[in-house]
PDB file of all heavy atoms in Angstrom:
ATOM      1  N   PRO A 130      16.913  21.267  -0.579  1.00 87.00           N
ATOM      2  CA  PRO A 130      17.280  20.286  -1.504  1.00 87.00           C
ATOM      3  C   PRO A 130      17.216  18.947  -1.005  1.00 87.00           C
ATOM      4  O   PRO A 130      17.417  18.701   0.155  1.00 87.00           O
ATOM      5  CB  PRO A 130      18.690  20.666  -2.092  1.00 87.00           C
ATOM      6  CG  PRO A 130      19.218  21.294  -0.693  1.00 87.00           C
ATOM      7  CD  PRO A 130      18.097  21.988  -0.089  1.00 87.00           C
ATOM      8  N   GLY A 131      17.037  17.899  -1.857  1.00 85.00           N
ATOM      9  CA  GLY A 131      16.949  16.514  -1.356  1.00 85.00           C
ATOM     10  C   GLY A 131      17.168  15.543  -2.476  1.00 85.00           C
ATOM     11  O   GLY A 131      17.182  15.781  -3.666  1.00 85.00           O
ATOM     12  N   VAL A 132      17.468  14.257  -1.993  1.00 90.00           N
ATOM     13  CA  VAL A 132      17.648  13.197  -2.915  1.00 90.00           C
ATOM     14  C   VAL A 132      16.993  11.906  -2.264  1.00 90.00           C
ATOM     15  O   VAL A 132      16.990  11.871  -1.042  1.00 90.00           O
ATOM     16  CB  VAL A 132      19.140  12.862  -3.134  1.00 90.00           C
ATOM     17  CG1 VAL A 132      19.812  12.567  -1.997  1.00 90.00           C
ATOM     18  CG2 VAL A 132      19.325  11.791  -4.239  1.00 90.00           C
ATOM     19  N   ALA A 133      16.389  11.059  -3.106  1.00 88.00           N
ATOM     20  CA  ALA A 133      15.750   9.873  -2.504  1.00 88.00           C
ATOM     21  C   ALA A 133      15.933   8.780  -3.557  1.00 88.00           C
ATOM     22  O   ALA A 133      16.074   9.084  -4.781  1.00 88.00           O
ATOM     23  CB  ALA A 133      14.298  10.143  -2.351  1.00 88.00           C
ATOM     24  N   TYR A 134      15.654   7.497  -3.032  1.00 91.00           N
ATOM     25  CA  TYR A 134      15.686   6.386  -3.969  1.00 91.00           C
ATOM     26  C   TYR A 134      14.432   5.684  -3.913  1.00 91.00           C
ATOM     27  O   TYR A 134      13.861   5.525  -2.866  1.00 91.00           O
ATOM     28  CB  TYR A 134      16.896   5.354  -3.607  1.00 91.00           C
ATOM     29  CG  TYR A 134      16.992   4.276  -4.590  1.00 91.00           C
ATOM     30  CD1 TYR A 134      17.745   4.469  -5.825  1.00 91.00           C
ATOM     31  CD2 TYR A 134      16.472   3.001  -4.401  1.00 91.00           C
ATOM     32  CE1 TYR A 134      17.843   3.530  -6.761  1.00 91.00           C
ATOM     33  CE2 TYR A 134      16.552   1.948  -5.364  1.00 91.00           C
ATOM     34  CZ  TYR A 134      17.285   2.237  -6.419  1.00 91.00           C
ATOM     35  OH  TYR A 134      17.442   1.280  -7.428  1.00 91.00           O
ATOM     36  N   GLU A 135      13.810   5.434  -5.014  1.00 89.00           N
ATOM     37  CA  GLU A 135      12.513   4.754  -5.185  1.00 89.00           C
ATOM     38  C   GLU A 135      12.714   3.347  -5.595  1.00 89.00           C
ATOM     39  O   GLU A 135      13.327   3.087  -6.648  1.00 89.00           O
ATOM     40  CB  GLU A 135      11.729   5.623  -6.230  1.00 89.00           C
ATOM     41  CG  GLU A 135      10.313   4.972  -6.548  1.00 89.00           C
ATOM     42  CD  GLU A 135       9.750   5.738  -7.728  1.00 89.00           C
ATOM     43  OE1 GLU A 135      10.340   6.743  -8.159  1.00 89.00           O
ATOM     44  OE2 GLU A 135       8.785   5.156  -8.221  1.00 89.00           O
ATOM     45  N   PHE A 136      12.080   2.431  -4.730  1.00 89.00           N
ATOM     46  CA  PHE A 136      12.255   0.997  -4.919  1.00 89.00           C
ATOM     47  C   PHE A 136      10.942   0.280  -4.923  1.00 89.00           C
ATOM     48  O   PHE A 136      10.015   0.584  -4.205  1.00 89.00           O
ATOM     49  CB  PHE A 136      13.102   0.488  -3.723  1.00 89.00           C
ATOM     50  CG  PHE A 136      13.395  -0.968  -3.695  1.00 89.00           C
ATOM     51  CD1 PHE A 136      14.466  -1.492  -4.619  1.00 89.00           C
ATOM     52  CD2 PHE A 136      12.676  -1.886  -3.094  1.00 89.00           C
ATOM     53  CE1 PHE A 136      14.659  -2.852  -4.641  1.00 89.00           C
ATOM     54  CE2 PHE A 136      12.958  -3.202  -3.020  1.00 89.00           C
ATOM     55  CZ  PHE A 136      13.971  -3.715  -3.749  1.00 89.00           C
ATOM     56  N   HIS A 137      10.802  -0.563  -5.976  1.00 89.00           N
ATOM     57  CA  HIS A 137       9.592  -1.259  -6.183  1.00 89.00           C
ATOM     58  C   HIS A 137       9.859  -2.748  -6.479  1.00 89.00           C
ATOM     59  O   HIS A 137      10.740  -3.248  -7.199  1.00 89.00           O
ATOM     60  CB  HIS A 137       8.812  -0.715  -7.473  1.00 89.00           C
ATOM     61  CG  HIS A 137       8.502   0.629  -7.349  1.00 89.00           C
ATOM     62  ND1 HIS A 137       7.278   1.062  -6.737  1.00 89.00           N
ATOM     63  CD2 HIS A 137       9.039   1.746  -7.857  1.00 89.00           C
ATOM     64  CE1 HIS A 137       7.178   2.423  -6.886  1.00 89.00           C
ATOM     65  NE2 HIS A 137       8.287   2.851  -7.474  1.00 89.00           N
ATOM     66  N   THR A 138       9.053  -3.684  -5.639  1.00 92.00           N
ATOM     67  CA  THR A 138       9.052  -5.068  -5.979  1.00 92.00           C
ATOM     68  C   THR A 138       7.598  -5.433  -5.933  1.00 92.00           C
ATOM     69  O   THR A 138       6.692  -4.633  -5.735  1.00 92.00           O
ATOM     70  CB  THR A 138       9.867  -5.925  -4.920  1.00 92.00           C
ATOM     71  OG1 THR A 138       9.096  -5.842  -3.674  1.00 92.00           O
ATOM     72  CG2 THR A 138      11.198  -5.533  -4.676  1.00 92.00           C
ATOM     73  N   ASP A 139       7.201  -6.725  -6.204  1.00 92.00           N
ATOM     74  CA  ASP A 139       5.802  -7.148  -6.091  1.00 92.00           C
ATOM     75  C   ASP A 139       5.255  -7.022  -4.642  1.00 92.00           C
ATOM     76  O   ASP A 139       3.936  -6.851  -4.614  1.00 92.00           O
ATOM     77  CB  ASP A 139       5.752  -8.606  -6.504  1.00 92.00           C
ATOM     78  CG  ASP A 139       6.024  -8.843  -7.964  1.00 92.00           C
ATOM     79  OD1 ASP A 139       5.992  -7.889  -8.683  1.00 92.00           O
ATOM     80  OD2 ASP A 139       6.491  -9.958  -8.431  1.00 92.00           O
ATOM     81  N   ARG A 140       5.972  -6.957  -3.655  1.00 95.00           N
ATOM     82  CA  ARG A 140       5.593  -6.894  -2.211  1.00 95.00           C
ATOM     83  C   ARG A 140       5.937  -5.538  -1.646  1.00 95.00           C
ATOM     84  O   ARG A 140       5.300  -5.158  -0.612  1.00 95.00           O
ATOM     85  CB  ARG A 140       6.166  -7.997  -1.452  1.00 95.00           C
ATOM     86  CG  ARG A 140       5.851  -9.403  -2.001  1.00 95.00           C
ATOM     87  CD  ARG A 140       4.371  -9.782  -1.850  1.00 95.00           C
ATOM     88  NE  ARG A 140       4.072 -11.066  -2.454  1.00 95.00           N
ATOM     89  CZ  ARG A 140       2.813 -11.570  -2.519  1.00 95.00           C
ATOM     90  NH1 ARG A 140       1.852 -10.866  -2.053  1.00 95.00           N
ATOM     91  NH2 ARG A 140       2.647 -12.825  -2.984  1.00 95.00           N
ATOM     92  N   LEU A 141       6.864  -4.804  -2.027  1.00 94.00           N
ATOM     93  CA  LEU A 141       7.382  -3.653  -1.359  1.00 94.00           C
ATOM     94  C   LEU A 141       7.525  -2.471  -2.374  1.00 94.00           C
ATOM     95  O   LEU A 141       7.936  -2.480  -3.572  1.00 94.00           O
ATOM     96  CB  LEU A 141       8.765  -3.973  -0.877  1.00 94.00           C
ATOM     97  CG  LEU A 141       9.523  -2.687  -0.249  1.00 94.00           C
ATOM     98  CD1 LEU A 141       8.878  -2.417   1.000  1.00 94.00           C
ATOM     99  CD2 LEU A 141      10.980  -3.114   0.084  1.00 94.00           C
ATOM    100  N   THR A 142       6.934  -1.324  -1.845  1.00 90.00           N
ATOM    101  CA  THR A 142       7.097  -0.048  -2.495  1.00 90.00           C
ATOM    102  C   THR A 142       7.747   0.924  -1.584  1.00 90.00           C
ATOM    103  O   THR A 142       7.041   1.054  -0.447  1.00 90.00           O
ATOM    104  CB  THR A 142       5.743   0.567  -3.036  1.00 90.00           C
ATOM    105  OG1 THR A 142       5.264  -0.352  -4.057  1.00 90.00           O
ATOM    106  CG2 THR A 142       5.952   1.934  -3.641  1.00 90.00           C
ATOM    107  N   ALA A 143       8.809   1.518  -1.726  1.00 91.00           N
ATOM    108  CA  ALA A 143       9.539   2.413  -0.882  1.00 91.00           C
ATOM    109  C   ALA A 143      10.148   3.476  -1.554  1.00 91.00           C
ATOM    110  O   ALA A 143      10.734   3.370  -2.636  1.00 91.00           O
ATOM    111  CB  ALA A 143      10.558   1.671  -0.009  1.00 91.00           C
ATOM    112  N   VAL A 144      10.092   4.645  -0.894  1.00 88.00           N
ATOM    113  CA  VAL A 144      10.775   5.935  -1.327  1.00 88.00           C
ATOM    114  C   VAL A 144      11.672   6.353  -0.051  1.00 88.00           C
ATOM    115  O   VAL A 144      11.031   6.837   0.931  1.00 88.00           O
ATOM    116  CB  VAL A 144       9.874   7.033  -1.811  1.00 88.00           C
ATOM    117  CG1 VAL A 144      10.633   8.227  -2.330  1.00 88.00           C
ATOM    118  CG2 VAL A 144       8.977   6.566  -2.909  1.00 88.00           C
ATOM    119  N   VAL A 145      12.935   6.361  -0.064  1.00 89.00           N
ATOM    120  CA  VAL A 145      13.784   6.591   1.095  1.00 89.00           C
ATOM    121  C   VAL A 145      14.671   7.775   0.698  1.00 89.00           C
ATOM    122  O   VAL A 145      15.439   7.633  -0.300  1.00 89.00           O
ATOM    123  CB  VAL A 145      14.526   5.353   1.519  1.00 89.00           C
ATOM    124  CG1 VAL A 145      15.419   5.706   2.705  1.00 89.00           C
ATOM    125  CG2 VAL A 145      13.627   4.142   1.766  1.00 89.00           C
ATOM    126  N   GLY A 146      14.579   8.824   1.457  1.00 85.00           N
ATOM    127  CA  GLY A 146      15.485   9.975   1.104  1.00 85.00           C
ATOM    128  C   GLY A 146      15.487  10.949   2.249  1.00 85.00           C
ATOM    129  O   GLY A 146      15.183  10.624   3.432  1.00 85.00           O
ATOM    130  N   PHE A 147      15.877  12.216   1.956  1.00 78.00           N
ATOM    131  CA  PHE A 147      15.903  13.343   2.847  1.00 78.00           C
ATOM    132  C   PHE A 147      14.982  14.341   2.420  1.00 78.00           C
ATOM    133  O   PHE A 147      15.144  14.695   1.278  1.00 78.00           O
ATOM    134  CB  PHE A 147      17.238  13.768   3.083  1.00 78.00           C
ATOM    135  CG  PHE A 147      17.372  15.116   3.846  1.00 78.00           C
ATOM    136  CD1 PHE A 147      17.429  15.035   5.338  1.00 78.00           C
ATOM    137  CD2 PHE A 147      17.420  16.318   3.340  1.00 78.00           C
ATOM    138  CE1 PHE A 147      17.392  16.155   6.105  1.00 78.00           C
ATOM    139  CE2 PHE A 147      17.456  17.467   4.070  1.00 78.00           C
ATOM    140  CZ  PHE A 147      17.419  17.521   5.485  1.00 78.00           C
ATOM    141  N   PRO A 148      14.006  14.902   3.174  1.00 73.00           N
ATOM    142  CA  PRO A 148      13.722  14.589   4.580  1.00 73.00           C
ATOM    143  C   PRO A 148      12.508  13.699   4.759  1.00 73.00           C
ATOM    144  O   PRO A 148      11.651  14.047   5.627  1.00 73.00           O
ATOM    145  CB  PRO A 148      13.684  16.080   5.198  1.00 73.00           C
ATOM    146  CG  PRO A 148      12.980  16.741   4.087  1.00 73.00           C
ATOM    147  CD  PRO A 148      13.367  16.123   2.806  1.00 73.00           C
ATOM    148  N   PHE A 149      12.404  12.547   4.108  1.00 81.00           N
ATOM    149  CA  PHE A 149      11.274  11.745   4.244  1.00 81.00           C
ATOM    150  C   PHE A 149      11.436  10.376   4.042  1.00 81.00           C
ATOM    151  O   PHE A 149      12.457  10.019   3.248  1.00 81.00           O
ATOM    152  CB  PHE A 149      10.042  12.334   3.324  1.00 81.00           C
ATOM    153  CG  PHE A 149      10.329  11.976   1.975  1.00 81.00           C
ATOM    154  CD1 PHE A 149       9.686  10.858   1.385  1.00 81.00           C
ATOM    155  CD2 PHE A 149      11.136  12.623   1.092  1.00 81.00           C
ATOM    156  CE1 PHE A 149       9.760  10.456   0.047  1.00 81.00           C
ATOM    157  CE2 PHE A 149      11.437  12.330  -0.186  1.00 81.00           C
ATOM    158  CZ  PHE A 149      10.630  11.237  -0.701  1.00 81.00           C
ATOM    159  N   VAL A 150      10.638   9.481   4.418  1.00 87.00           N
ATOM    160  CA  VAL A 150      10.646   8.043   4.099  1.00 87.00           C
ATOM    161  C   VAL A 150       9.172   7.592   3.884  1.00 87.00           C
ATOM    162  O   VAL A 150       8.234   7.998   4.723  1.00 87.00           O
ATOM    163  CB  VAL A 150      11.314   7.161   5.338  1.00 87.00           C
ATOM    164  CG1 VAL A 150      11.211   5.777   5.038  1.00 87.00           C
ATOM    165  CG2 VAL A 150      12.657   7.638   5.523  1.00 87.00           C
ATOM    166  N   SER A 151       9.063   6.746   2.999  1.00 88.00           N
ATOM    167  CA  SER A 151       7.677   6.169   2.686  1.00 88.00           C
ATOM    168  C   SER A 151       7.819   4.659   2.323  1.00 88.00           C
ATOM    169  O   SER A 151       8.566   4.363   1.388  1.00 88.00           O
ATOM    170  CB  SER A 151       6.919   6.938   1.525  1.00 88.00           C
ATOM    171  OG  SER A 151       5.702   6.406   1.311  1.00 88.00           O
ATOM    172  N   VAL A 152       7.307   3.833   3.179  1.00 93.00           N
ATOM    173  CA  VAL A 152       7.377   2.355   2.924  1.00 93.00           C
ATOM    174  C   VAL A 152       5.934   1.764   2.949  1.00 93.00           C
ATOM    175  O   VAL A 152       5.162   2.021   3.768  1.00 93.00           O
ATOM    176  CB  VAL A 152       8.264   1.713   3.923  1.00 93.00           C
ATOM    177  CG1 VAL A 152       8.330   0.157   3.740  1.00 93.00           C
ATOM    178  CG2 VAL A 152       9.667   2.373   3.994  1.00 93.00           C
ATOM    179  N   ASP A 153       5.721   0.866   2.006  1.00 94.00           N
ATOM    180  CA  ASP A 153       4.452   0.131   1.962  1.00 94.00           C
ATOM    181  C   ASP A 153       4.795  -1.353   1.661  1.00 94.00           C
ATOM    182  O   ASP A 153       5.330  -1.635   0.542  1.00 94.00           O
ATOM    183  CB  ASP A 153       3.581   0.597   0.762  1.00 94.00           C
ATOM    184  CG  ASP A 153       2.177   0.087   0.855  1.00 94.00           C
ATOM    185  OD1 ASP A 153       2.109  -1.135   1.429  1.00 94.00           O
ATOM    186  OD2 ASP A 153       1.218   0.498   0.313  1.00 94.00           O
ATOM    187  N   TYR A 154       4.698  -2.257   2.636  1.00 97.00           N
ATOM    188  CA  TYR A 154       5.091  -3.696   2.535  1.00 97.00           C
ATOM    189  C   TYR A 154       3.854  -4.559   2.633  1.00 97.00           C
ATOM    190  O   TYR A 154       3.230  -4.464   3.622  1.00 97.00           O
ATOM    191  CB  TYR A 154       6.194  -3.939   3.591  1.00 97.00           C
ATOM    192  CG  TYR A 154       6.649  -5.400   3.652  1.00 97.00           C
ATOM    193  CD1 TYR A 154       7.181  -5.931   2.464  1.00 97.00           C
ATOM    194  CD2 TYR A 154       6.692  -6.189   4.774  1.00 97.00           C
ATOM    195  CE1 TYR A 154       7.531  -7.144   2.497  1.00 97.00           C
ATOM    196  CE2 TYR A 154       7.092  -7.383   4.793  1.00 97.00           C
ATOM    197  CZ  TYR A 154       7.656  -7.990   3.623  1.00 97.00           C
ATOM    198  OH  TYR A 154       8.038  -9.226   3.661  1.00 97.00           O
ATOM    199  N   ARG A 155       3.853  -5.495   1.641  1.00 97.00           N
ATOM    200  CA  ARG A 155       2.667  -6.453   1.620  1.00 97.00           C
ATOM    201  C   ARG A 155       3.421  -7.879   1.784  1.00 97.00           C
ATOM    202  O   ARG A 155       3.649  -8.531   0.530  1.00 97.00           O
ATOM    203  CB  ARG A 155       1.877  -6.424   0.448  1.00 97.00           C
ATOM    204  CG  ARG A 155       1.031  -5.126   0.335  1.00 97.00           C
ATOM    205  CD  ARG A 155      -0.113  -5.022   1.318  1.00 97.00           C
ATOM    206  NE  ARG A 155      -1.133  -6.067   1.009  1.00 97.00           N
ATOM    207  CZ  ARG A 155      -2.196  -5.737   0.266  1.00 97.00           C
ATOM    208  NH1 ARG A 155      -2.318  -4.595  -0.271  1.00 97.00           N
ATOM    209  NH2 ARG A 155      -3.064  -6.715   0.090  1.00 97.00           N
ATOM    210  N   PRO A 156       3.794  -8.510   2.818  1.00 97.00           N
ATOM    211  CA  PRO A 156       4.329  -9.832   2.905  1.00 97.00           C
ATOM    212  C   PRO A 156       3.385 -10.879   2.395  1.00 97.00           C
ATOM    213  O   PRO A 156       3.851 -11.898   1.885  1.00 97.00           O
ATOM    214  CB  PRO A 156       4.691  -9.972   4.360  1.00 97.00           C
ATOM    215  CG  PRO A 156       3.719  -9.195   5.128  1.00 97.00           C
ATOM    216  CD  PRO A 156       3.545  -7.986   4.209  1.00 97.00           C
ATOM    217  N   THR A 157       2.191 -10.700   2.551  1.00 96.00           N
ATOM    218  CA  THR A 157       1.099 -11.633   2.162  1.00 96.00           C
ATOM    219  C   THR A 157      -0.035 -10.803   1.436  1.00 96.00           C
ATOM    220  O   THR A 157      -0.174  -9.611   1.674  1.00 96.00           O
ATOM    221  CB  THR A 157       0.586 -12.600   3.093  1.00 96.00           C
ATOM    222  OG1 THR A 157      -0.203 -11.877   4.088  1.00 96.00           O
ATOM    223  CG2 THR A 157       1.713 -13.350   3.909  1.00 96.00           C
ATOM    224  N   ARG A 158      -0.988 -11.477   0.802  1.00 94.00           N
ATOM    225  CA  ARG A 158      -2.090 -10.707   0.327  1.00 94.00           C
ATOM    226  C   ARG A 158      -2.981 -10.067   1.399  1.00 94.00           C
ATOM    227  O   ARG A 158      -3.686  -9.122   1.264  1.00 94.00           O
ATOM    228  CB  ARG A 158      -2.976 -11.637  -0.554  1.00 94.00           C
ATOM    229  CG  ARG A 158      -4.119 -10.979  -1.250  1.00 94.00           C
ATOM    230  CD  ARG A 158      -4.844 -11.927  -2.251  1.00 94.00           C
ATOM    231  NE  ARG A 158      -3.927 -12.311  -3.228  1.00 94.00           N
ATOM    232  CZ  ARG A 158      -3.705 -11.671  -4.350  1.00 94.00           C
ATOM    233  NH1 ARG A 158      -4.277 -10.369  -4.522  1.00 94.00           N
ATOM    234  NH2 ARG A 158      -2.826 -12.053  -5.310  1.00 94.00           N
ATOM    235  N   GLU A 159      -2.927 -10.787   2.688  1.00 97.00           N
ATOM    236  CA  GLU A 159      -3.818 -10.323   3.715  1.00 97.00           C
ATOM    237  C   GLU A 159      -3.196  -9.226   4.428  1.00 97.00           C
ATOM    238  O   GLU A 159      -3.919  -8.332   5.048  1.00 97.00           O
ATOM    239  CB  GLU A 159      -4.114 -11.509   4.627  1.00 97.00           C
ATOM    240  CG  GLU A 159      -5.058 -12.606   3.986  1.00 97.00           C
ATOM    241  CD  GLU A 159      -4.222 -13.519   3.159  1.00 97.00           C
ATOM    242  OE1 GLU A 159      -3.029 -13.639   3.165  1.00 97.00           O
ATOM    243  OE2 GLU A 159      -4.928 -14.269   2.373  1.00 97.00           O
ATOM    244  N   TRP A 160      -1.808  -9.156   4.689  1.00 97.00           N
ATOM    245  CA  TRP A 160      -1.206  -8.302   5.630  1.00 97.00           C
ATOM    246  C   TRP A 160      -0.472  -7.183   4.877  1.00 97.00           C
ATOM    247  O   TRP A 160       0.103  -7.414   3.789  1.00 97.00           O
ATOM    248  CB  TRP A 160      -0.210  -9.025   6.430  1.00 97.00           C
ATOM    249  CG  TRP A 160      -0.892  -9.851   7.559  1.00 97.00           C
ATOM    250  CD1 TRP A 160      -1.114 -11.233   7.485  1.00 97.00           C
ATOM    251  CD2 TRP A 160      -1.493  -9.396   8.814  1.00 97.00           C
ATOM    252  NE1 TRP A 160      -1.778 -11.678   8.644  1.00 97.00           N
ATOM    253  CE2 TRP A 160      -2.011 -10.503   9.454  1.00 97.00           C
ATOM    254  CE3 TRP A 160      -1.509  -8.189   9.424  1.00 97.00           C
ATOM    255  CZ2 TRP A 160      -2.546 -10.390  10.673  1.00 97.00           C
ATOM    256  CZ3 TRP A 160      -2.140  -8.089  10.664  1.00 97.00           C
ATOM    257  CH2 TRP A 160      -2.668  -9.234  11.203  1.00 97.00           C
ATOM    258  N   GLN A 161      -0.600  -5.988   5.450  1.00 97.00           N
ATOM    259  CA  GLN A 161       0.046  -4.770   4.845  1.00 97.00           C
ATOM    260  C   GLN A 161       0.653  -3.936   6.056  1.00 97.00           C
ATOM    261  O   GLN A 161       0.007  -3.715   7.030  1.00 97.00           O
ATOM    262  CB  GLN A 161      -0.893  -3.991   4.049  1.00 97.00           C
ATOM    263  CG  GLN A 161      -0.364  -2.574   3.481  1.00 97.00           C
ATOM    264  CD  GLN A 161      -1.436  -1.833   2.714  1.00 97.00           C
ATOM    265  OE1 GLN A 161      -2.574  -2.032   2.962  1.00 97.00           O
ATOM    266  NE2 GLN A 161      -1.038  -0.969   1.866  1.00 97.00           N
ATOM    267  N   PHE A 162       1.792  -3.485   5.887  1.00 98.00           N
ATOM    268  CA  PHE A 162       2.525  -2.595   6.881  1.00 98.00           C
ATOM    269  C   PHE A 162       3.089  -1.247   6.237  1.00 98.00           C
ATOM    270  O   PHE A 162       3.726  -1.488   5.188  1.00 98.00           O
ATOM    271  CB  PHE A 162       3.709  -3.354   7.472  1.00 98.00           C
ATOM    272  CG  PHE A 162       3.291  -4.645   8.155  1.00 98.00           C
ATOM    273  CD1 PHE A 162       3.422  -5.897   7.532  1.00 98.00           C
ATOM    274  CD2 PHE A 162       2.784  -4.574   9.450  1.00 98.00           C
ATOM    275  CE1 PHE A 162       3.014  -7.038   8.177  1.00 98.00           C
ATOM    276  CE2 PHE A 162       2.458  -5.795  10.151  1.00 98.00           C
ATOM    277  CZ  PHE A 162       2.565  -6.933   9.507  1.00 98.00           C
ATOM    278  N   GLU A 163       2.728  -0.221   6.734  1.00 96.00           N
ATOM    279  CA  GLU A 163       3.037   1.130   6.111  1.00 96.00           C
ATOM    280  C   GLU A 163       3.810   1.886   7.188  1.00 96.00           C
ATOM    281  O   GLU A 163       3.391   1.990   8.383  1.00 96.00           O
ATOM    282  CB  GLU A 163       1.803   1.887   5.626  1.00 96.00           C
ATOM    283  CG  GLU A 163       1.024   1.152   4.584  1.00 96.00           C
ATOM    284  CD  GLU A 163      -0.299   1.703   4.391  1.00 96.00           C
ATOM    285  OE1 GLU A 163      -0.404   2.611   3.624  1.00 96.00           O
ATOM    286  OE2 GLU A 163      -1.265   1.256   5.142  1.00 96.00           O
ATOM    287  N   PHE A 164       4.693   2.678   6.699  1.00 94.00           N
ATOM    288  CA  PHE A 164       5.391   3.587   7.466  1.00 94.00           C
ATOM    289  C   PHE A 164       5.767   4.809   6.703  1.00 94.00           C
ATOM    290  O   PHE A 164       6.356   4.799   5.582  1.00 94.00           O
ATOM    291  CB  PHE A 164       6.762   3.089   8.113  1.00 94.00           C
ATOM    292  CG  PHE A 164       7.586   4.111   8.979  1.00 94.00           C
ATOM    293  CD1 PHE A 164       7.137   4.365  10.190  1.00 94.00           C
ATOM    294  CD2 PHE A 164       8.610   4.704   8.427  1.00 94.00           C
ATOM    295  CE1 PHE A 164       7.781   5.286  10.950  1.00 94.00           C
ATOM    296  CE2 PHE A 164       9.308   5.633   9.148  1.00 94.00           C
ATOM    297  CZ  PHE A 164       8.892   5.981  10.481  1.00 94.00           C
ATOM    298  N   ASN A 165       5.266   6.022   7.154  1.00 89.00           N
ATOM    299  CA  ASN A 165       5.646   7.364   6.495  1.00 89.00           C
ATOM    300  C   ASN A 165       6.324   8.294   7.499  1.00 89.00           C
ATOM    301  O   ASN A 165       5.712   8.401   8.587  1.00 89.00           O
ATOM    302  CB  ASN A 165       4.459   7.960   5.891  1.00 89.00           C
ATOM    303  CG  ASN A 165       3.778   7.001   4.682  1.00 89.00           C
ATOM    304  OD1 ASN A 165       4.598   6.541   3.884  1.00 89.00           O
ATOM    305  ND2 ASN A 165       2.512   6.789   4.789  1.00 89.00           N
ATOM    306  N   TYR A 166       7.292   9.022   7.073  1.00 88.00           N
ATOM    307  CA  TYR A 166       7.841   9.970   7.929  1.00 88.00           C
ATOM    308  C   TYR A 166       8.275  11.142   7.023  1.00 88.00           C
ATOM    309  O   TYR A 166       8.804  11.026   6.009  1.00 88.00           O
ATOM    310  CB  TYR A 166       9.157   9.574   8.612  1.00 88.00           C
ATOM    311  CG  TYR A 166       9.873  10.645   9.324  1.00 88.00           C
ATOM    312  CD1 TYR A 166       9.488  11.109  10.528  1.00 88.00           C
ATOM    313  CD2 TYR A 166      11.045  11.248   8.769  1.00 88.00           C
ATOM    314  CE1 TYR A 166      10.113  12.351  11.093  1.00 88.00           C
ATOM    315  CE2 TYR A 166      11.725  12.282   9.276  1.00 88.00           C
ATOM    316  CZ  TYR A 166      11.298  12.776  10.445  1.00 88.00           C
ATOM    317  OH  TYR A 166      11.856  13.852  11.094  1.00 88.00           O
TER     318      TYR A 166
END
């Protein structure tokens, strides 16, 4: 079983929970940072 919170803004999409994390961050149009676990 698990629970996660899904969060969206114009620059950030994230799903944080157990047992996984997914983050996609665009501080500017040119740069993008992603982390998945």
Side-chain angles (χ1 to χ4, degrees):
V132 61
Y134 189 75
E135 176 192 349
F136 181 77
H137 299 274
T138 71
D139 291 337
R140 303 291 179 181
L141 175 66
T142 297
V144 184
V145 180
F147 173 82
F149 76 99
V150 175
S151 178
V152 178
D153 187 340
Y154 178 51
R155 295 286 295 267
T157 67
R158 184 174 298 277
E159 292 80 15
W160 287 98
Q161 179 182 19
F162 300 95
E163 300 166 89
F164 177 77
N165 294 313
Y166 169 78

